[in-house]
Amino acid sequence: MKFFGIGLGLGSLAGLGISLLPNPQTGHKVKEDVRLFLDGTKNDASALVTSTKQATQAANELMNNLPQAEQTVKDIQNNLTDFQSSIKPEVDQMKENVSNLTKEAKDTADGIKNEL
């Protein structure tokens, strides 16, 4: 543990010394660049926390509403099945009527051809 404390102290002193040196590319002190980086990182971390909270709330809301949505889908399926069953006789009658009309039209057309 003694060596850890010595290493931590030496690292802190080295970091302090480096932060006081100017950046050769911009002429600004490295301390300013580090501060800007840390501010950006802090803002990113804050945005991540906010987004995570919002995602958690949305997931919870979805899980709470899922049973109701599933029941609604089942109700719609049942209503559709009931509707299809109720109109089946009428659809079958319409198909029969169309078939009869088609046959009558063909017979009429054949009769006209024979008269010509």
Side-chain angles (χ1 to χ4, degrees):
M1 197 66 166
K2 175 182 171 183
F3 293 113
F4 177 76
I6 292 172
L8 181 64
L10 290 175
S12 297
L13 288 175
L16 177 63
I18 290 173
S19 72
L20 296 175
L21 296 174
N23 183 338
Q25 294 175 350
T26 63
H28 293 101
K29 298 217 177 199
V30 173
K31 180 171 92 173
E32 294 172 30
D33 295 335
V34 171
R35 183 183 53 78
L36 291 173
F37 172 77
L38 291 176
D39 285 346
T41 303
K42 182 177 120 181
N43 291 338
D44 290 345
S46 177
L48 177 63
V49 167
T50 301
S51 296
T52 302
K53 285 179 183 177
Q54 290 173 344
T56 301
Q57 289 173 346
N60 288 337
E61 186 177 338
L62 178 63
M63 293 305 291
N64 290 336
N65 291 330
L66 188 58
Q68 182 182 357
E70 289 173 337
Q71 184 59 47
T72 301
V73 169
K74 286 178 185 176
D75 291 345
I76 291 171
Q77 289 172 334
N78 290 336
N79 289 341
L80 181 60
T81 301
D82 291 346
F83 176 71
Q84 288 172 333
S85 296
S86 72
I87 65 166
K88 185 176 182 337
E90 293 170 11
V91 170
D92 290 343
Q93 183 63 47
M94 285 183 205
K95 286 179 182 177
E96 185 179 333
N97 290 345
V98 168
S99 177
N100 290 339
L101 288 173
T102 302
K103 185 178 183 289
E104 287 178 21
K106 184 177 183 297
D107 290 345
T108 303
D110 288 345
I112 293 172
K113 282 183 189 176
N114 290 337
E115 290 179 11
L116 294 174

